[in-house]
Amino acid sequence: MDNMPVKHIICIEDEMEMIDLIRIILGRRGFEVIGANGGREGLRMVREKHPDLVLLDLMMPDMDGWEYTSK
């Protein structure tokens, strides 16, 4: 398992505590978790970094998850 490439996850969330929690849990499993504070920042990061997985909060103040999926 040591030779497997690291999988990158972007966690789009407006609560930094949740990003930290997800980073701790998935980091222990060998994933690199990048946090994005809200939908607009998350959209920019996804376009820039091309992650393996996106975890998306559906209820955020700047751009909710439903709006995000239509972009």
Side-chain angles (χ1 to χ4, degrees):
M1 186 165 167
D2 292 335
N3 294 333
M4 295 181 65
V6 174
K7 298 292 183 179
H8 297 87
I9 298 171
I10 293 181
C11 178
I12 304 172
E13 170 67 64
D14 61 325
E15 295 183 31
M16 294 308 293
E17 296 85 7
M18 288 300 295
I19 294 173
D20 291 339
L21 180 62
I22 290 169
R23 184 178 288 128
I24 290 168
I25 293 168
L26 296 179
R28 290 179 182 165
R29 300 287 184 187
F31 297 97
E32 181 184 335
V33 178
I34 303 166
N37 188 13
R40 296 188 198 295
E41 180 180 340
L43 189 60
R44 179 188 57 76
M45 290 179 85
V46 167
R47 289 177 175 161
E48 183 179 295
K49 300 194 180 292
H50 306 283
D52 297 296
L53 178 70
V54 175
L55 299 177
L56 176 63
D57 184 3
L58 292 179
M59 297 180 68
M60 296 180 286
D62 68 331
M63 175 190 295
D64 68 33
W66 300 113
E67 183 182 355
Y68 180 90
T69 59
S70 68
K71 297 290 180 192

Short mmCIF file of all heavy atoms in Angstrom, two decimals:
data_model
loop_
_atom_site.label_atom_id
_atom_site.label_comp_id
_atom_site.label_asym_id
_atom_site.label_seq_id
_atom_site.Cartn_x
_atom_site.Cartn_y
_atom_site.Cartn_z
N MET A 1 0.82 -1.19 0.00
CA MET A 1 0.00 0.00 0.00
C MET A 1 0.87 1.26 0.00
O MET A 1 0.41 2.32 -0.38
CB MET A 1 -0.91 -0.02 1.23
CG MET A 1 -1.90 1.09 1.23
SD MET A 1 -3.19 0.73 2.42
CE MET A 1 -3.95 2.30 2.51
N ASP A 2 2.12 1.15 0.41
CA ASP A 2 2.99 2.31 0.46
C ASP A 2 3.32 2.86 -0.92
O ASP A 2 3.63 4.03 -1.05
CB ASP A 2 4.30 1.96 1.17
CG ASP A 2 4.07 1.69 2.65
OD1 ASP A 2 3.08 2.21 3.19
OD2 ASP A 2 4.87 0.96 3.25
N ASN A 3 3.25 2.05 -1.95
CA ASN A 3 3.60 2.48 -3.30
C ASN A 3 2.44 3.08 -4.07
O ASN A 3 2.61 3.49 -5.20
CB ASN A 3 4.20 1.32 -4.09
CG ASN A 3 5.53 0.86 -3.50
OD1 ASN A 3 6.24 1.64 -2.87
ND2 ASN A 3 5.84 -0.40 -3.69
N MET A 4 1.27 3.10 -3.47
CA MET A 4 0.09 3.65 -4.15
C MET A 4 0.17 5.18 -4.12
O MET A 4 0.58 5.77 -3.13
CB MET A 4 -1.19 3.18 -3.48
CG MET A 4 -1.40 1.68 -3.60
SD MET A 4 -2.92 1.14 -2.83
CE MET A 4 -4.12 1.96 -3.85
N PRO A 5 -0.24 5.83 -5.22
CA PRO A 5 -0.22 7.30 -5.22
C PRO A 5 -1.24 7.86 -4.23
O PRO A 5 -2.28 7.26 -3.99
CB PRO A 5 -0.61 7.65 -6.67
CG PRO A 5 -1.26 6.44 -7.22
CD PRO A 5 -0.72 5.26 -6.46
N VAL A 6 -0.93 9.00 -3.66
CA VAL A 6 -1.83 9.65 -2.72
C VAL A 6 -3.04 10.18 -3.47
O VAL A 6 -2.91 10.81 -4.52
CB VAL A 6 -1.09 10.81 -2.00
CG1 VAL A 6 -2.05 11.60 -1.13
CG2 VAL A 6 0.07 10.28 -1.20
N LYS A 7 -4.21 9.92 -2.92
CA LYS A 7 -5.45 10.44 -3.49
C LYS A 7 -5.75 11.79 -2.87
O LYS A 7 -5.62 11.98 -1.66
CB LYS A 7 -6.62 9.48 -3.24
CG LYS A 7 -6.43 8.13 -3.88
CD LYS A 7 -6.48 8.23 -5.38
CE LYS A 7 -6.37 6.86 -6.00
NZ LYS A 7 -6.42 6.87 -7.43
N HIS A 8 -6.15 12.74 -3.70
CA HIS A 8 -6.41 14.11 -3.24
C HIS A 8 -7.92 14.37 -3.18
O HIS A 8 -8.64 14.08 -4.13
CB HIS A 8 -5.75 15.11 -4.18
CG HIS A 8 -4.27 14.97 -4.20
ND1 HIS A 8 -3.62 14.11 -5.03
CD2 HIS A 8 -3.31 15.56 -3.45
CE1 HIS A 8 -2.31 14.19 -4.82
NE2 HIS A 8 -2.10 15.06 -3.86
N ILE A 9 -8.34 14.92 -2.06
CA ILE A 9 -9.75 15.22 -1.81
C ILE A 9 -9.87 16.71 -1.49
O ILE A 9 -9.08 17.24 -0.72
CB ILE A 9 -10.28 14.40 -0.62
CG1 ILE A 9 -10.18 12.90 -0.92
CG2 ILE A 9 -11.72 14.80 -0.28
CD1 ILE A 9 -10.48 12.02 0.27
N ILE A 10 -10.85 17.35 -2.10
CA ILE A 10 -11.18 18.72 -1.73
C ILE A 10 -12.48 18.67 -0.95
O ILE A 10 -13.48 18.13 -1.42
CB ILE A 10 -11.29 19.65 -2.95
CG1 ILE A 10 -9.92 19.81 -3.60
CG2 ILE A 10 -11.86 21.01 -2.53
CD1 ILE A 10 -9.89 20.73 -4.79
N CYS A 11 -12.44 19.23 0.25
CA CYS A 11 -13.62 19.31 1.11
C CYS A 11 -14.12 20.75 1.07
O CYS A 11 -13.46 21.66 1.56
CB CYS A 11 -13.24 18.90 2.53
SG CYS A 11 -14.61 19.03 3.69
N ILE A 12 -15.29 20.95 0.47
CA ILE A 12 -15.87 22.28 0.35
C ILE A 12 -16.91 22.43 1.45
O ILE A 12 -17.93 21.75 1.46
CB ILE A 12 -16.51 22.48 -1.04
CG1 ILE A 12 -15.47 22.22 -2.13
CG2 ILE A 12 -17.11 23.88 -1.15
CD1 ILE A 12 -16.04 22.20 -3.53
N GLU A 13 -16.61 23.33 2.38
CA GLU A 13 -17.39 23.44 3.61
C GLU A 13 -17.23 24.85 4.15
O GLU A 13 -16.16 25.45 4.02
CB GLU A 13 -16.85 22.40 4.60
CG GLU A 13 -17.34 22.46 5.99
CD GLU A 13 -18.81 22.12 6.14
OE1 GLU A 13 -19.20 20.98 5.85
OE2 GLU A 13 -19.54 23.03 6.55
N ASP A 14 -18.29 25.39 4.76
CA ASP A 14 -18.19 26.73 5.33
C ASP A 14 -17.83 26.70 6.81
O ASP A 14 -17.62 27.76 7.41
CB ASP A 14 -19.49 27.52 5.11
CG ASP A 14 -20.69 26.89 5.74
OD1 ASP A 14 -20.76 25.64 5.77
OD2 ASP A 14 -21.58 27.61 6.21
N GLU A 15 -17.72 25.54 7.41
CA GLU A 15 -17.32 25.42 8.81
C GLU A 15 -15.93 24.78 8.87
O GLU A 15 -15.77 23.60 8.56
CB GLU A 15 -18.32 24.59 9.59
CG GLU A 15 -19.69 25.25 9.67
CD GLU A 15 -20.66 24.46 10.51
OE1 GLU A 15 -20.23 23.78 11.45
OE2 GLU A 15 -21.86 24.51 10.19
N MET A 16 -14.94 25.56 9.26
CA MET A 16 -13.56 25.10 9.26
C MET A 16 -13.35 23.90 10.19
O MET A 16 -12.51 23.05 9.94
CB MET A 16 -12.61 26.23 9.65
CG MET A 16 -12.58 27.37 8.62
SD MET A 16 -12.25 26.82 6.92
CE MET A 16 -10.58 26.25 7.09
N GLU A 17 -14.13 23.81 11.26
CA GLU A 17 -14.02 22.67 12.17
C GLU A 17 -14.34 21.36 11.45
O GLU A 17 -13.73 20.32 11.73
CB GLU A 17 -14.95 22.83 13.38
CG GLU A 17 -14.61 24.01 14.26
CD GLU A 17 -15.22 25.33 13.77
OE1 GLU A 17 -16.04 25.32 12.82
OE2 GLU A 17 -14.86 26.37 14.33
N MET A 18 -15.31 21.39 10.55
CA MET A 18 -15.67 20.18 9.79
C MET A 18 -14.54 19.80 8.83
O MET A 18 -14.23 18.62 8.67
CB MET A 18 -16.97 20.41 9.01
CG MET A 18 -18.19 20.44 9.90
SD MET A 18 -18.42 18.91 10.83
CE MET A 18 -18.73 17.75 9.51
N ILE A 19 -13.94 20.79 8.19
CA ILE A 19 -12.80 20.51 7.31
C ILE A 19 -11.68 19.86 8.11
O ILE A 19 -11.10 18.86 7.69
CB ILE A 19 -12.31 21.78 6.60
CG1 ILE A 19 -13.38 22.30 5.63
CG2 ILE A 19 -10.99 21.52 5.87
CD1 ILE A 19 -13.06 23.65 5.01
N ASP A 20 -11.38 20.41 9.29
CA ASP A 20 -10.33 19.85 10.14
C ASP A 20 -10.64 18.42 10.54
O ASP A 20 -9.77 17.55 10.53
CB ASP A 20 -10.12 20.71 11.39
CG ASP A 20 -9.51 22.06 11.08
OD1 ASP A 20 -8.89 22.22 10.00
OD2 ASP A 20 -9.66 22.97 11.91
N LEU A 21 -11.88 18.14 10.91
CA LEU A 21 -12.29 16.80 11.31
C LEU A 21 -12.13 15.81 10.15
O LEU A 21 -11.56 14.72 10.32
CB LEU A 21 -13.74 16.81 11.81
CG LEU A 21 -14.32 15.48 12.26
CD1 LEU A 21 -13.53 14.92 13.43
CD2 LEU A 21 -15.78 15.64 12.62
N ILE A 22 -12.59 16.19 8.99
CA ILE A 22 -12.47 15.32 7.81
C ILE A 22 -11.01 15.12 7.45
O ILE A 22 -10.58 14.01 7.10
CB ILE A 22 -13.28 15.92 6.63
CG1 ILE A 22 -14.78 15.79 6.95
CG2 ILE A 22 -12.93 15.23 5.31
CD1 ILE A 22 -15.68 16.56 6.04
N ARG A 23 -10.21 16.17 7.57
CA ARG A 23 -8.77 16.07 7.28
C ARG A 23 -8.09 15.07 8.23
O ARG A 23 -7.28 14.25 7.81
CB ARG A 23 -8.11 17.44 7.40
CG ARG A 23 -6.65 17.43 7.02
CD ARG A 23 -6.03 18.82 7.09
NE ARG A 23 -6.51 19.65 5.99
CZ ARG A 23 -7.04 20.85 6.12
NH1 ARG A 23 -7.17 21.40 7.31
NH2 ARG A 23 -7.44 21.52 5.07
N ILE A 24 -8.46 15.11 9.51
CA ILE A 24 -7.88 14.18 10.49
C ILE A 24 -8.29 12.74 10.18
O ILE A 24 -7.45 11.84 10.11
CB ILE A 24 -8.31 14.57 11.93
CG1 ILE A 24 -7.63 15.87 12.34
CG2 ILE A 24 -7.99 13.44 12.91
CD1 ILE A 24 -8.20 16.49 13.60
N ILE A 25 -9.56 12.52 9.97
CA ILE A 25 -10.07 11.17 9.74
C ILE A 25 -9.50 10.57 8.46
O ILE A 25 -8.99 9.45 8.46
CB ILE A 25 -11.62 11.17 9.71
CG1 ILE A 25 -12.18 11.51 11.09
CG2 ILE A 25 -12.15 9.83 9.21
CD1 ILE A 25 -13.66 11.80 11.11
N LEU A 26 -9.59 11.31 7.36
CA LEU A 26 -9.12 10.76 6.08
C LEU A 26 -7.60 10.80 5.96
O LEU A 26 -7.02 9.96 5.27
CB LEU A 26 -9.79 11.50 4.92
CG LEU A 26 -11.31 11.32 4.84
CD1 LEU A 26 -11.88 12.11 3.67
CD2 LEU A 26 -11.68 9.86 4.73
N GLY A 27 -6.95 11.75 6.64
CA GLY A 27 -5.50 11.79 6.63
C GLY A 27 -4.89 10.55 7.24
O GLY A 27 -3.85 10.05 6.79
N ARG A 28 -5.54 10.00 8.25
CA ARG A 28 -5.09 8.75 8.88
C ARG A 28 -5.17 7.57 7.92
O ARG A 28 -4.50 6.57 8.11
CB ARG A 28 -5.92 8.45 10.12
CG ARG A 28 -5.64 9.40 11.26
CD ARG A 28 -6.50 9.10 12.44
NE ARG A 28 -6.24 10.06 13.51
CZ ARG A 28 -7.03 10.23 14.56
NH1 ARG A 28 -8.12 9.50 14.68
NH2 ARG A 28 -6.73 11.13 15.47
N ARG A 29 -5.99 7.70 6.92
CA ARG A 29 -6.16 6.64 5.91
C ARG A 29 -5.29 6.88 4.68
O ARG A 29 -5.40 6.17 3.69
CB ARG A 29 -7.61 6.54 5.48
CG ARG A 29 -8.57 6.22 6.58
CD ARG A 29 -8.42 4.79 6.98
NE ARG A 29 -9.42 4.46 7.99
CZ ARG A 29 -9.45 3.32 8.61
NH1 ARG A 29 -8.57 2.40 8.33
NH2 ARG A 29 -10.35 3.09 9.52
N GLY A 30 -4.47 7.92 4.72
CA GLY A 30 -3.53 8.17 3.64
C GLY A 30 -3.99 9.14 2.56
O GLY A 30 -3.32 9.31 1.56
N PHE A 31 -5.12 9.79 2.78
CA PHE A 31 -5.63 10.77 1.82
C PHE A 31 -5.08 12.15 2.15
O PHE A 31 -4.88 12.49 3.30
CB PHE A 31 -7.16 10.83 1.83
CG PHE A 31 -7.81 9.55 1.41
CD1 PHE A 31 -8.25 8.63 2.35
CD2 PHE A 31 -7.98 9.25 0.07
CE1 PHE A 31 -8.85 7.45 1.97
CE2 PHE A 31 -8.58 8.07 -0.33
CZ PHE A 31 -9.02 7.16 0.63
N GLU A 32 -4.89 12.96 1.12
CA GLU A 32 -4.57 14.37 1.33
C GLU A 32 -5.85 15.17 1.16
O GLU A 32 -6.47 15.14 0.09
CB GLU A 32 -3.53 14.87 0.33
CG GLU A 32 -3.18 16.32 0.55
CD GLU A 32 -2.23 16.88 -0.49
OE1 GLU A 32 -1.48 16.11 -1.10
OE2 GLU A 32 -2.25 18.10 -0.68
N VAL A 33 -6.26 15.86 2.20
CA VAL A 33 -7.49 16.63 2.18
C VAL A 33 -7.15 18.12 2.14
O VAL A 33 -6.42 18.62 2.98
CB VAL A 33 -8.38 16.33 3.41
CG1 VAL A 33 -9.64 17.18 3.39
CG2 VAL A 33 -8.73 14.85 3.46
N ILE A 34 -7.69 18.79 1.14
CA ILE A 34 -7.52 20.22 0.99
C ILE A 34 -8.87 20.86 1.31
O ILE A 34 -9.90 20.45 0.77
CB ILE A 34 -7.09 20.58 -0.46
CG1 ILE A 34 -5.81 19.86 -0.83
CG2 ILE A 34 -6.96 22.08 -0.63
CD1 ILE A 34 -5.51 19.87 -2.30
N GLY A 35 -8.88 21.84 2.18
CA GLY A 35 -10.12 22.50 2.55
C GLY A 35 -10.38 23.74 1.73
O GLY A 35 -9.46 24.49 1.41
N ALA A 36 -11.63 23.92 1.37
CA ALA A 36 -12.07 25.13 0.66
C ALA A 36 -13.18 25.76 1.47
O ALA A 36 -14.17 25.09 1.80
CB ALA A 36 -12.55 24.79 -0.74
N ASN A 37 -13.02 27.03 1.80
CA ASN A 37 -13.99 27.73 2.63
C ASN A 37 -15.11 28.30 1.76
O ASN A 37 -15.06 29.44 1.32
CB ASN A 37 -13.30 28.83 3.43
CG ASN A 37 -14.21 29.47 4.44
OD1 ASN A 37 -15.28 28.95 4.72
ND2 ASN A 37 -13.80 30.59 4.99
N GLY A 38 -16.10 27.48 1.47
CA GLY A 38 -17.25 27.93 0.70
C GLY A 38 -17.21 27.49 -0.75
O GLY A 38 -16.20 27.03 -1.27
N GLY A 39 -18.35 27.66 -1.41
CA GLY A 39 -18.53 27.18 -2.77
C GLY A 39 -17.69 27.87 -3.82
O GLY A 39 -17.15 27.23 -4.72
N ARG A 40 -17.55 29.17 -3.73
CA ARG A 40 -16.79 29.89 -4.75
C ARG A 40 -15.30 29.51 -4.70
O ARG A 40 -14.69 29.25 -5.73
CB ARG A 40 -16.97 31.39 -4.60
CG ARG A 40 -18.41 31.82 -4.84
CD ARG A 40 -18.59 33.32 -4.89
NE ARG A 40 -19.97 33.71 -4.70
CZ ARG A 40 -20.97 33.43 -5.52
NH1 ARG A 40 -20.76 32.74 -6.60
NH2 ARG A 40 -22.20 33.85 -5.27
N GLU A 41 -14.74 29.46 -3.49
CA GLU A 41 -13.35 29.05 -3.35
C GLU A 41 -13.19 27.59 -3.78
O GLU A 41 -12.23 27.22 -4.45
CB GLU A 41 -12.88 29.21 -1.90
CG GLU A 41 -11.44 28.79 -1.70
CD GLU A 41 -10.98 28.94 -0.27
OE1 GLU A 41 -11.59 29.69 0.51
OE2 GLU A 41 -9.98 28.28 0.07
N GLY A 42 -14.16 26.76 -3.42
CA GLY A 42 -14.11 25.35 -3.81
C GLY A 42 -14.14 25.15 -5.31
O GLY A 42 -13.40 24.32 -5.85
N LEU A 43 -14.98 25.90 -5.99
CA LEU A 43 -15.06 25.81 -7.44
C LEU A 43 -13.73 26.15 -8.08
O LEU A 43 -13.24 25.45 -8.97
CB LEU A 43 -16.17 26.73 -7.95
CG LEU A 43 -16.56 26.62 -9.41
CD1 LEU A 43 -17.04 25.22 -9.76
CD2 LEU A 43 -17.63 27.65 -9.74
N ARG A 44 -13.10 27.21 -7.59
CA ARG A 44 -11.80 27.61 -8.11
C ARG A 44 -10.76 26.52 -7.86
O ARG A 44 -9.99 26.16 -8.75
CB ARG A 44 -11.35 28.92 -7.44
CG ARG A 44 -9.99 29.42 -7.90
CD ARG A 44 -9.50 30.59 -7.08
NE ARG A 44 -9.41 30.36 -5.65
CZ ARG A 44 -8.45 29.64 -5.05
NH1 ARG A 44 -7.51 29.07 -5.78
NH2 ARG A 44 -8.44 29.48 -3.75
N MET A 45 -10.77 25.94 -6.66
CA MET A 45 -9.78 24.92 -6.32
C MET A 45 -9.97 23.64 -7.14
O MET A 45 -9.00 23.02 -7.57
CB MET A 45 -9.84 24.60 -4.83
CG MET A 45 -9.32 25.74 -3.97
SD MET A 45 -9.44 25.37 -2.22
CE MET A 45 -7.90 24.47 -2.03
N VAL A 46 -11.20 23.25 -7.36
CA VAL A 46 -11.47 22.04 -8.16
C VAL A 46 -10.97 22.23 -9.58
O VAL A 46 -10.32 21.35 -10.15
CB VAL A 46 -12.97 21.69 -8.13
CG1 VAL A 46 -13.31 20.65 -9.20
CG2 VAL A 46 -13.37 21.19 -6.75
N ARG A 47 -11.24 23.39 -10.15
CA ARG A 47 -10.78 23.66 -11.51
C ARG A 47 -9.25 23.71 -11.60
O ARG A 47 -8.67 23.32 -12.60
CB ARG A 47 -11.37 24.98 -12.01
CG ARG A 47 -12.84 24.88 -12.28
CD ARG A 47 -13.43 26.20 -12.69
NE ARG A 47 -14.83 26.05 -13.06
CZ ARG A 47 -15.69 27.03 -13.11
NH1 ARG A 47 -15.30 28.26 -12.82
NH2 ARG A 47 -16.94 26.81 -13.44
N GLU A 48 -8.61 24.17 -10.54
CA GLU A 48 -7.16 24.32 -10.52
C GLU A 48 -6.44 23.00 -10.21
O GLU A 48 -5.43 22.68 -10.83
CB GLU A 48 -6.82 25.35 -9.44
CG GLU A 48 -5.38 25.70 -9.29
CD GLU A 48 -5.19 26.74 -8.20
OE1 GLU A 48 -5.70 27.87 -8.36
OE2 GLU A 48 -4.57 26.41 -7.18
N LYS A 49 -6.96 22.20 -9.27
CA LYS A 49 -6.23 21.05 -8.76
C LYS A 49 -6.70 19.69 -9.30
O LYS A 49 -5.99 18.71 -9.16
CB LYS A 49 -6.28 21.03 -7.24
CG LYS A 49 -5.65 22.28 -6.64
CD LYS A 49 -5.40 22.14 -5.19
CE LYS A 49 -4.76 23.37 -4.60
NZ LYS A 49 -3.42 23.62 -5.02
N HIS A 50 -7.90 19.58 -9.85
CA HIS A 50 -8.42 18.33 -10.39
C HIS A 50 -8.31 17.18 -9.40
O HIS A 50 -7.59 16.21 -9.63
CB HIS A 50 -7.72 17.97 -11.71
CG HIS A 50 -7.77 19.06 -12.72
ND1 HIS A 50 -8.89 19.32 -13.47
CD2 HIS A 50 -6.84 19.97 -13.10
CE1 HIS A 50 -8.65 20.34 -14.27
NE2 HIS A 50 -7.42 20.75 -14.07
N PRO A 51 -9.04 17.28 -8.27
CA PRO A 51 -8.92 16.26 -7.23
C PRO A 51 -9.53 14.93 -7.65
O PRO A 51 -10.30 14.85 -8.61
CB PRO A 51 -9.70 16.87 -6.07
CG PRO A 51 -10.75 17.68 -6.75
CD PRO A 51 -10.05 18.28 -7.95
N ASP A 52 -9.22 13.89 -6.88
CA ASP A 52 -9.82 12.58 -7.10
C ASP A 52 -11.25 12.51 -6.58
O ASP A 52 -12.06 11.74 -7.08
CB ASP A 52 -8.97 11.51 -6.40
CG ASP A 52 -7.58 11.44 -6.98
OD1 ASP A 52 -7.46 11.09 -8.17
OD2 ASP A 52 -6.61 11.75 -6.26
N LEU A 53 -11.55 13.33 -5.56
CA LEU A 53 -12.87 13.32 -4.95
C LEU A 53 -13.18 14.71 -4.40
O LEU A 53 -12.28 15.39 -3.91
CB LEU A 53 -12.91 12.30 -3.80
CG LEU A 53 -14.21 12.20 -3.00
CD1 LEU A 53 -15.31 11.57 -3.85
CD2 LEU A 53 -13.98 11.37 -1.74
N VAL A 54 -14.45 15.10 -4.46
CA VAL A 54 -14.90 16.36 -3.87
C VAL A 54 -15.99 16.03 -2.85
O VAL A 54 -16.97 15.35 -3.17
CB VAL A 54 -15.47 17.32 -4.94
CG1 VAL A 54 -16.05 18.57 -4.28
CG2 VAL A 54 -14.42 17.68 -5.95
N LEU A 55 -15.79 16.49 -1.62
CA LEU A 55 -16.82 16.40 -0.58
C LEU A 55 -17.44 17.78 -0.49
O LEU A 55 -16.75 18.77 -0.25
CB LEU A 55 -16.21 15.99 0.76
CG LEU A 55 -15.53 14.63 0.77
CD1 LEU A 55 -14.89 14.38 2.14
CD2 LEU A 55 -16.51 13.53 0.44
N LEU A 56 -18.76 17.85 -0.65
CA LEU A 56 -19.43 19.13 -0.82
C LEU A 56 -20.56 19.31 0.18
O LEU A 56 -21.48 18.49 0.24
CB LEU A 56 -19.98 19.19 -2.25
CG LEU A 56 -20.81 20.39 -2.67
CD1 LEU A 56 -19.98 21.66 -2.60
CD2 LEU A 56 -21.32 20.18 -4.09
N ASP A 57 -20.48 20.38 0.96
CA ASP A 57 -21.57 20.77 1.86
C ASP A 57 -22.70 21.33 1.00
O ASP A 57 -22.46 22.12 0.09
CB ASP A 57 -21.05 21.83 2.84
CG ASP A 57 -22.08 22.23 3.89
OD1 ASP A 57 -23.18 21.66 3.91
OD2 ASP A 57 -21.76 23.13 4.69
N LEU A 58 -23.92 20.92 1.29
CA LEU A 58 -25.05 21.41 0.49
C LEU A 58 -25.58 22.75 0.96
O LEU A 58 -26.21 23.47 0.19
CB LEU A 58 -26.18 20.38 0.48
CG LEU A 58 -25.87 19.10 -0.27
CD1 LEU A 58 -27.04 18.14 -0.19
CD2 LEU A 58 -25.52 19.37 -1.72
N MET A 59 -25.34 23.11 2.21
CA MET A 59 -25.90 24.36 2.74
C MET A 59 -24.77 25.30 3.14
O MET A 59 -24.22 25.19 4.24
CB MET A 59 -26.81 24.06 3.92
CG MET A 59 -28.00 23.22 3.51
SD MET A 59 -29.10 22.85 4.88
CE MET A 59 -29.75 24.47 5.23
N MET A 60 -24.42 26.21 2.23
CA MET A 60 -23.37 27.21 2.48
C MET A 60 -23.92 28.57 2.11
O MET A 60 -24.76 28.69 1.22
CB MET A 60 -22.13 26.89 1.64
CG MET A 60 -21.46 25.59 1.99
SD MET A 60 -20.01 25.25 0.98
CE MET A 60 -20.77 24.81 -0.60
N PRO A 61 -23.44 29.62 2.75
CA PRO A 61 -24.01 30.96 2.51
C PRO A 61 -23.66 31.56 1.15
O PRO A 61 -24.50 32.21 0.54
CB PRO A 61 -23.43 31.81 3.64
CG PRO A 61 -22.29 31.07 4.19
CD PRO A 61 -22.49 29.62 3.86
N ASP A 62 -22.44 31.37 0.64
CA ASP A 62 -22.06 32.07 -0.60
C ASP A 62 -22.55 31.37 -1.85
O ASP A 62 -22.97 32.00 -2.81
CB ASP A 62 -20.54 32.29 -0.66
CG ASP A 62 -19.73 31.01 -0.82
OD1 ASP A 62 -20.20 29.95 -0.35
OD2 ASP A 62 -18.65 31.08 -1.39
N MET A 63 -22.50 30.06 -1.87
CA MET A 63 -22.98 29.27 -3.01
C MET A 63 -23.30 27.90 -2.46
O MET A 63 -22.41 27.18 -2.03
CB MET A 63 -21.89 29.16 -4.08
CG MET A 63 -22.26 28.25 -5.25
SD MET A 63 -20.89 27.87 -6.37
CE MET A 63 -20.53 29.46 -7.06
N ASP A 64 -24.58 27.55 -2.43
CA ASP A 64 -24.91 26.25 -1.84
C ASP A 64 -24.51 25.11 -2.77
O ASP A 64 -24.16 25.31 -3.93
CB ASP A 64 -26.38 26.18 -1.43
CG ASP A 64 -27.35 26.20 -2.60
OD1 ASP A 64 -27.02 25.66 -3.68
OD2 ASP A 64 -28.46 26.72 -2.43
N GLY A 65 -24.51 23.91 -2.22
CA GLY A 65 -24.07 22.75 -2.98
C GLY A 65 -24.90 22.47 -4.23
O GLY A 65 -24.38 22.01 -5.23
N TRP A 66 -26.18 22.81 -4.18
CA TRP A 66 -27.02 22.60 -5.36
C TRP A 66 -26.63 23.55 -6.48
O TRP A 66 -26.57 23.16 -7.64
CB TRP A 66 -28.50 22.76 -5.00
CG TRP A 66 -28.93 21.79 -3.96
CD1 TRP A 66 -29.32 22.07 -2.68
CD2 TRP A 66 -29.01 20.36 -4.08
NE1 TRP A 66 -29.62 20.93 -2.01
CE2 TRP A 66 -29.45 19.86 -2.85
CE3 TRP A 66 -28.74 19.46 -5.10
CZ2 TRP A 66 -29.63 18.50 -2.60
CZ3 TRP A 66 -28.93 18.11 -4.87
CH2 TRP A 66 -29.36 17.63 -3.64
N GLU A 67 -26.36 24.79 -6.13
CA GLU A 67 -25.91 25.76 -7.13
C GLU A 67 -24.55 25.36 -7.68
O GLU A 67 -24.27 25.48 -8.87
CB GLU A 67 -25.83 27.15 -6.51
CG GLU A 67 -25.44 28.24 -7.48
CD GLU A 67 -25.33 29.60 -6.83
OE1 GLU A 67 -25.65 29.77 -5.63
OE2 GLU A 67 -24.91 30.53 -7.54
N TYR A 68 -23.68 24.87 -6.80
CA TYR A 68 -22.34 24.45 -7.18
C TYR A 68 -22.38 23.36 -8.25
O TYR A 68 -21.64 23.40 -9.22
CB TYR A 68 -21.59 23.93 -5.94
CG TYR A 68 -20.19 23.48 -6.25
CD1 TYR A 68 -19.13 24.36 -6.16
CD2 TYR A 68 -19.93 22.16 -6.65
CE1 TYR A 68 -17.84 23.95 -6.44
CE2 TYR A 68 -18.64 21.75 -6.93
CZ TYR A 68 -17.60 22.65 -6.84
OH TYR A 68 -16.35 22.26 -7.13
N THR A 69 -23.27 22.38 -8.09
CA THR A 69 -23.31 21.26 -9.02
C THR A 69 -23.77 21.68 -10.41
O THR A 69 -23.54 20.96 -11.38
CB THR A 69 -24.20 20.12 -8.50
OG1 THR A 69 -25.53 20.61 -8.29
CG2 THR A 69 -23.65 19.54 -7.22
N SER A 70 -24.39 22.85 -10.53
CA SER A 70 -24.85 23.31 -11.84
C SER A 70 -23.77 24.10 -12.58
O SER A 70 -23.98 24.51 -13.71
CB SER A 70 -26.11 24.16 -11.69
OG SER A 70 -25.82 25.38 -11.05
N LYS A 71 -22.63 24.32 -11.95
CA LYS A 71 -21.55 25.13 -12.57
C LYS A 71 -20.70 24.29 -13.47
O LYS A 71 -20.19 23.35 -13.41
CB LYS A 71 -20.68 25.80 -11.50
CG LYS A 71 -21.45 26.77 -10.64
CD LYS A 71 -21.83 27.98 -11.40
CE LYS A 71 -22.59 28.95 -10.53
NZ LYS A 71 -23.21 30.00 -11.23
#
